[in-house]
Amino acid sequence: MKVVIVGTNHAGIHAANTILDNTDDEVVMIDRNSNLSYLGCGTALWVGRQIDGYEGLFYTKREDFEAKGARILMETAVDSIDFDKKIVHAVTKDGQAIEESYDKLVLATGSKPIAPNLPGKDLEGIHFLKLFQEGQAVDQDMAREEVKTVAVLGAGYIGVEIAEAAARRGKKVILLDAMDTSLSNYYDPEFATLMDENLRAHGIQTQFGEMAQGYEGEGRVEALVTDKGRYEVDMVINAIGFGPNNDLGKDHLELFTNGAYLVNRRQQTSDPDVYAVGDCATVYSNALQDTAYIALASNAVRSGLVAGFNLAGQDVEHVGVQGSNGISIFEQKLVSTGYSVKSAARFGLDVDYVDFEDKQKYPFMPEDENAPVKIRIVFEKGSRRIVGAQLASTYDMSATIHMFSLAIQQKVTIDTLKLTDFFFLPHFNQAHNYITMAALQAK
Ligand SMILES: Cc1cc2nc3c(=O)[nH]c(=O)nc-3n(C[C@H](O)[C@H](O)[C@H](O)COP(=O)(O)OP(=O)(O)OC[C@H]3O[C@@H](n4cnc5c(N)ncnc54)[C@H](O)[C@@H]3O)c2cc1C
Ligand SMILES: NC(=O)C1=CN([C@@H]2O[C@H](COP(=O)(O)OP(=O)(O)OC[C@H]3O[C@@H](n4cnc5c(N)ncnc54)[C@H](O)[C@@H]3O)[C@@H](O)[C@H]2O)C=CC1
């Protein structure tokens, strides 16, 4: 069998490795970029000089796939697919048109940053932050002495992380968002405002509840204008979310409401010979118990594995996802899974919640290794199954969210959690720990 994979980043890589490790199939991998496996999560760490450089942000290379027998065509853009004849049409970097036939096709074309369609959008100094090359452009622009003020449009995950990086580079940073807090897609205001205070405490100016209306400047951006003000800036980074890159299959395959390729639990699209994985495809949300779109590397990796196993002849169903995520900015850490109270309402879930706050360890433990942890557990009224959790602390409590992720997946109720056995050792936690104490509040 011949499998063609379009897109060789996280999702495509994991599909390819799974097929190559489990079959003798012919595998052809095609990507328009010159690099593969770039961990975008490291961009802010590198730009903010928290790590030495970008070299470690690539975890595999073309030679690794060639060694396993794959043919890999980089800097080759697929421009169309004949789904009836099962032929992929592409153009190499030298402008040569090529064709690849397939028995099975994997679309792993990822996502595109949403581009604000505002006056002045083509001025110099306005950036996006997805590709490695875009990270390099941001890094180089920030190195310029004249760039003193950086505006970040969108206070989601990318925006907050790059705002921290710009502040660490000594820039004056203005972080703007249409919503009233940062991270509003992931956290309720009681948690998001902790991040907002943290950002402001580190000198970042937050302008929330403002809609950008245009960029101004002569050749290069000089100001960002919103419905509430005009901000003089030397550089702008746009980070208002991702949308699925469905260019190749949108006229042939069934799509989700946002344009993502609709896939079943085996990552198969409406064309049984075409699989879609990663940010270009839908996921099954266990919290919602329905199809959703959640662009995350963690989802890309797992969906690539599922498609790979099925293409290798193993019948594997995706268990679904919770959209578990985390962020660590200066000292503040936030992790969440499933839905917040706010996002549950947006998705039509009728929920209740419990809150608790306590120190991670007993107060007799050294102060510098201890800190308060705030937790919220969200559960569905009626079924009482857990559908979300959020935690905030300066202590690294991040691993706790894995348990909640599994709880949502397995439909654990808030009542089960009340007496669930959690180990206790003073070095780590308290006997009446904040998970138990929060769950016990549920009426
Ligand atoms: C700055 C940043 C930080 C992030 N941090 C995190 C994080 O901490 N945790 C997390 O879970 N997620 C994070 N993400 C999200 C994560 O990077 C994405 O969810 C992930 O990259 C999706 O992987 P993918 O393989 O589906 O798609 P992509 O990474 O978008 O890759 C798609 C590939 O397809 C190729 N392609 C597209 N069209 C064509 C074509 N026509 N012909 C040939 N090739 C094509 C592209 O060149 C690309 O290589 C972050 C993203 C960014 C930008
Ligand atoms: N730590 C992690 O897990 C990370 C995950 N990612 C993922 O990458 C994807 C893209 O990240 P982001 O671009 O940060 O998307 P996002 O969805 O996290 O945030 C987008 C933000 O832009 C705001 N916004 C939307 N339209 C706007 C407008 N017109 N004007 C002002 N603000 C506007 C939204 O309110 C939101 O806060 C997401 O799926 C994210 O989860 C990215 C970085 C880190």
Side-chain angles (χ1 to χ4, degrees):
M1 185 165 79
K2 178 175 174 185
V3 182
V4 174
I5 301 175
V6 183
T8 65
N9 215 21
H10 311 305
I13 283 169
H14 284 80
N17 271 327
T18 310
I19 301 166
L20 292 165
D21 293 345
N22 290 284
T23 71
D24 294 323
D25 287 347
E26 180 183 354
V27 174
V28 180
M29 302 165 70
I30 308 176
D31 202 293
R32 62 186 175 196
N33 206 339
S34 54
N35 63 70
L36 70 163
S37 81
Y38 178 62
L39 288 163
C41 54
T43 302
L45 290 170
W46 146 53
V47 171
R49 302 294 183 259
Q50 288 181 272
I51 57 174
D52 290 340
Y54 54 73
E55 294 75 14
L57 297 177
F58 301 90
Y59 58 86
T60 186
K61 52 191 185 311
R62 65 182 297 162
E63 292 78 11
D64 297 336
F65 297 94
E66 285 166 347
K68 291 182 182 185
R71 205 146 46 83
I72 177 161
L73 312 170
M74 298 303 293
E75 296 179 82
T76 301
V78 173
D79 51 19
S80 66
I81 297 167
D82 185 331
F83 291 97
D84 294 325
K85 294 197 178 115
K86 297 170 88 170
I87 294 175
V88 169
H89 297 270
V91 180
T92 66
K93 80 166 168 177
D94 310 324
Q96 192 196 338
I98 58 162
E99 290 183 359
E100 282 294 339
S101 64
Y102 64 84
D103 297 308
K104 300 282 179 193
L105 177 68
V106 180
L107 292 174
T109 50
S111 50
K112 298 191 251 198
I114 298 167
N117 191 18
L118 300 173
K121 64 180 168 24
D122 298 323
L123 289 168
E124 264 180 55
I126 300 177
H127 297 264
F128 290 91
L129 200 60
K130 172 146 174 80
L131 303 176
F132 168 58
Q133 292 89 333
E134 291 167 334
Q136 280 183 308
V138 165
D139 186 50
Q140 284 158 13
D141 222 0
M142 273 192 203
R144 298 171 66 227
E145 193 49 28
E146 314 85 271
V147 172
K148 305 219 181 303
T149 305
V150 177
V152 179
L153 185 60
Y157 266 149
I158 293 181
V160 169
E161 289 179 352
I162 202 67
E164 178 195 24
R168 285 181 184 272
R169 290 282 285 271
K171 307 295 175 189
K172 173 175 162 51
V173 183
I174 307 173
L175 177 62
L176 301 103
D177 201 286
M179 306 306 281
D180 291 335
T181 66
S182 67
L183 305 175
S184 63
N185 289 339
Y186 312 91
Y187 297 92
D188 284 319
E190 294 82 347
F191 289 74
T193 50
L194 295 174
M195 182 58 79
D196 300 348
E197 285 158 18
N198 172 49
L199 293 166
R200 288 191 285 266
H202 287 86
I204 294 171
Q205 180 181 336
T206 58
Q207 298 294 151
F208 296 150
E210 295 195 27
M211 284 301 289
Q213 295 191 322
Y215 313 94
E216 289 179 357
E218 294 289 323
R220 189 178 167 93
V221 69
E222 288 163 18
L224 178 66
V225 180
T226 74
D227 54 353
K228 298 203 178 130
R230 182 179 182 279
Y231 304 95
E232 292 195 359
V233 300
D234 306 306
M235 177 176 168
V236 176
I237 301 166
N238 289 316
I240 63 164
F242 285 177
N245 176 4
N246 65 6
D247 292 349
L248 297 172
K250 64 178 183 302
D251 297 328
H252 173 68
L253 302 171
E254 217 175 306
L255 305 178
F256 188 53
T257 46
N258 75 337
Y261 300 129
L262 201 59
V263 293
N264 64 18
R265 301 287 280 265
R266 292 174 177 77
Q267 300 300 136
Q268 226 167 1
T269 66
S270 52
D271 178 337
D273 292 325
V274 181
Y275 290 68
V277 294
D279 281 5
C280 65
T282 54
V283 290
Y284 182 81
S285 159
N286 287 312
L288 192 61
Q289 300 275 290
D290 205 350
T291 303
Y293 180 75
I294 307 174
L296 283 172
S298 44
N299 292 347
V301 165
R302 265 180 285 278
S303 62
L305 293 173
V306 170
F309 281 125
N310 280 285
L311 285 161
Q314 300 176 35
D315 188 20
V316 175
E317 273 206 3
H318 201 309
V319 290
V321 304
Q322 286 68 249
S324 306
N325 61 83
I327 189 162
S328 178
I329 301 293
F330 300 113
E331 300 79 30
Q332 184 68 56
K333 293 159 186 51
L334 291 177
V335 289
S336 82
T337 184
Y339 290 109
S340 63
V341 173
K342 200 171 145 193
S343 58
R346 200 164 69 234
F347 284 93
L349 287 173
D350 189 13
V351 299
D352 204 345
Y353 66 93
V354 284
D355 284 345
F356 200 77
E357 183 167 347
D358 199 359
K359 287 204 158 182
Q360 173 69 29
K361 306 174 197 174
Y362 283 109
F364 63 76
M365 293 303 283
E367 191 68 15
D368 59 345
E369 295 166 21
N370 205 0
V373 179
K374 185 167 169 162
I375 185 169
R376 168 168 292 184
I377 309 170
V378 183
F379 58 99
E380 190 178 41
K381 284 183 188 164
S383 75
R384 296 179 70 78
R385 71 185 173 93
I386 295 167
V387 295
Q390 299 157 68
L391 287 110
S393 183
T394 55
Y395 182 85
D396 182 4
M397 47 51 212
S398 57
T400 306
I401 209 69
H402 301 316
M403 188 272 293
F404 282 102
S405 185
L406 186 63
I408 297 171
Q409 181 185 301
Q410 298 304 112
K411 298 193 178 125
V412 173
T413 67
I414 187 73
D415 305 304
T416 302
L417 202 65
K418 287 176 181 171
L419 295 177
T420 296
D421 173 14
F422 298 115
F423 89 96
F424 155 60
L425 188 77
H427 306 65
F428 295 113
N429 57 4
Q430 302 195 35
H432 50 281
N433 66 82
Y434 48 79
I435 304 172
T436 305
M437 298 307 284
L440 284 169
Q441 316 266 323
K443 296 287 178 289

